[in-house]
Amino acid sequence: PVFSGQKIHIDYITLRGIETRTGVKKDDLYMLIPRESLDNALDYMEIHCPNTTPQVSVTITKEEGDSLLRIIVRNPVDANSNITLFSKGMLRSIYDFSGYYSSKRIRKISRGSLGDASKLVLGIPYALAKEMSRDISGWNQLLTIRSNSGSSGGSSSSNNLLRTFYVRLLIDRLNNDIRSEVIEEEDNNDVNNKNNITSKYTEFEICLPLSHDDFLIDKRISTFLQNYALLNTHIGFTFNLFGR
C-alpha cells in the first residue's frame, strides 16, 4: 500500500463542499453511504474470499419518528485469518482531517474512493444536520464499526474478540477546526460465541438525520440497492429495508 499526504479542510462537513468533492447532490447522499460501504466490503471479499459466494447483508431502518435513518452493512471476513482489520490507531489515521490516509493501492482498479471517502461519509450526517438546522452533537453512536476479525488469543476461531469503535466529530466552525473522536470497546463474549457461531465479520453502521418530507427515500434506496445487486451477481445480498 502507498500512503500520501495533503491538506484538507472544512468542506467535509458542508453540503457544498461534499458536492464539490463528489459531484453528488443532497438527495443522493443517502445512497452514497451504502454504496461506499458495499464497495469496500466487495473489494475485501473479492481479494480474500475468492472461493466462496459471500452473503452481504444490508439493514436500513427509520427511527425516532422517521427523523433518523440507520444504515448497517455487514460482510464476512476470511475465517482462517487472525489479522485484526481495524484498530483505534488506524481509525484515528483514517479520520484525521489534517491529512490524507488511504490503504488502497495506486492504480488498483477498485470500487469506492481512495481514503477520502471515509471522511466524507463521516461528515455527511453533520452537513445534512446543518442544512436541517438540527443538533446531532448528542448522537453518541453516529458511526459504529464492529469487527471480530482478530483473535483474542485462543487458537480457535470461536475465540474471536469483538471490537466496537464509535467515531464522531468534534467541530469548531468558528476556527474551521475538525477533529475526530474514536472510542473503542472490546467484548470477549461476542453474541456469535454465545451461539457457538464461528463466523467472522465486519459491520459498518451509521445514522443520518432524515427530513420528514422526504417521502421517496424508501423507494430511492430500494431501487439503488436492487440495481447494485444486479451489477454484482457474483455476491449474495440480503436486504432488510424499512422492515421488509
Side-chain angles (χ1 to χ4, degrees), residues 27-39:
D27 288 345
D28 292 326
L29 292 178
Y30 294 97
M31 274 61 74
L32 175 64
I33 288 182
R35 190 200 77 187
E36 287 295 332
S37 303
L38 285 167
D39 284 349

Side-chain angles (χ1 to χ4, degrees), residues 12-25:
Y12 288 98
I13 57 170
T14 65
L15 289 181
R16 183 176 180 180
I18 292 170
E19 181 180 344
T20 298
R21 287 178 175 272
T22 64
V24 177
K25 300 290 186 180

Side-chain angles (χ1 to χ4, degrees), residues 62-68 212:
K62 288 192 289 188
E63 303 172 14
E64 297 187 6
D66 293 347
S67 64
L68 180 153
H212 289 286

Side-chain angles (χ1 to χ4, degrees), residues 159-215:
N159 289 327
N160 298 339
L161 174 65
L162 177 67
R163 289 179 169 87
T164 301
F165 303 91
Y166 302 106
V167 188
R168 59 187 302 181
L169 292 182
L170 304 175
I171 302 173
D172 182 353
R173 293 185 183 274
L174 182 62
N175 296 306
N176 287 341
D177 182 49
I178 310 173
R179 292 183 295 111
S180 64
E181 179 183 59
V182 181
I183 299 174
E184 178 181 4
E185 292 182 357
E186 295 183 352
D187 184 4
N188 283 301
N189 297 314
D190 182 359
V191 66
N192 281 354
N193 298 335
K194 296 174 185 177
N195 295 327
N196 296 319
I197 298 174
T198 60
S199 61
K200 296 185 179 182
Y201 66 89
T202 292
E203 185 175 272
F204 177 95
E205 175 181 332
I206 192 165
C207 295
L208 301 168
L210 188 62
S211 173
H212 289 286
D213 58 2
D214 192 346
F215 302 109

Side-chain angles (χ1 to χ4, degrees), residues 7 24 122-123 144 204 224 239 244:
K7 187 176 181 180
V24 177
L122 181 58
T144 305
F204 177 95
F224 162 75
F239 297 140
R244 302 191 301 274

Side-chain angles (χ1 to χ4, degrees), residues 12-162:
Y12 288 98
I13 57 170
T14 65
L15 289 181
R16 183 176 180 180
I18 292 170
E19 181 180 344
T20 298
R21 287 178 175 272
T22 64
V24 177
K25 300 290 186 180
K26 172 187 173 183
D27 288 345
D28 292 326
L29 292 178
Y30 294 97
M31 274 61 74
L32 175 64
I33 288 182
R35 190 200 77 187
E36 287 295 332
S37 303
L38 285 167
D39 284 349
N40 288 333
L42 266 61
D43 266 350
Y44 171 84
M45 291 184 297
E46 287 173 345
I47 295 172
H48 299 285
C49 307
N51 299 318
T52 61
T53 303
Q55 189 78 15
V56 183
S57 67
V58 180
T59 301
I60 300 180
T61 57
K62 288 192 289 188
E63 303 172 14
E64 297 187 6
D66 293 347
S67 64
L68 180 153
L69 189 76
R70 187 183 304 273
I71 300 172
I72 303 174
V73 176
R74 177 184 283 208
N75 67 274
V77 171
D78 180 12
N80 297 317
S81 173
N82 282 327
I83 297 175
T84 300
L85 295 180
F86 292 98
S87 68
K88 190 173 184 179
M90 177 191 293
L91 292 175
R92 282 176 170 171
S93 297
I94 291 174
Y95 297 106
D96 179 3
F97 286 78
S98 65
Y100 178 89
Y101 179 102
S102 176
S103 61
K104 290 183 179 288
R105 295 177 184 275
I106 301 299
R107 298 190 182 91
K108 174 181 179 292
I109 300 175
S110 63
R111 301 174 183 82
S113 303
L114 297 180
D116 196 49
S118 297
K119 290 191 280 288
L120 285 168
V121 166
L122 181 58
I124 285 173
Y126 295 91
L128 290 171
K130 188 174 187 298
E131 179 75 7
M132 299 176 190
S133 299
R134 290 179 56 185
D135 180 12
I136 63 171
S137 59
W139 290 14
N140 295 325
Q141 299 180 14
L142 190 140
L143 170 61
T144 305
I145 299 172
R146 301 180 182 89
S147 179
N148 65 347
S149 59
S151 172
S152 61
S155 60
S156 170
S157 60
S158 63
N159 289 327
N160 298 339
L161 174 65
L162 177 67

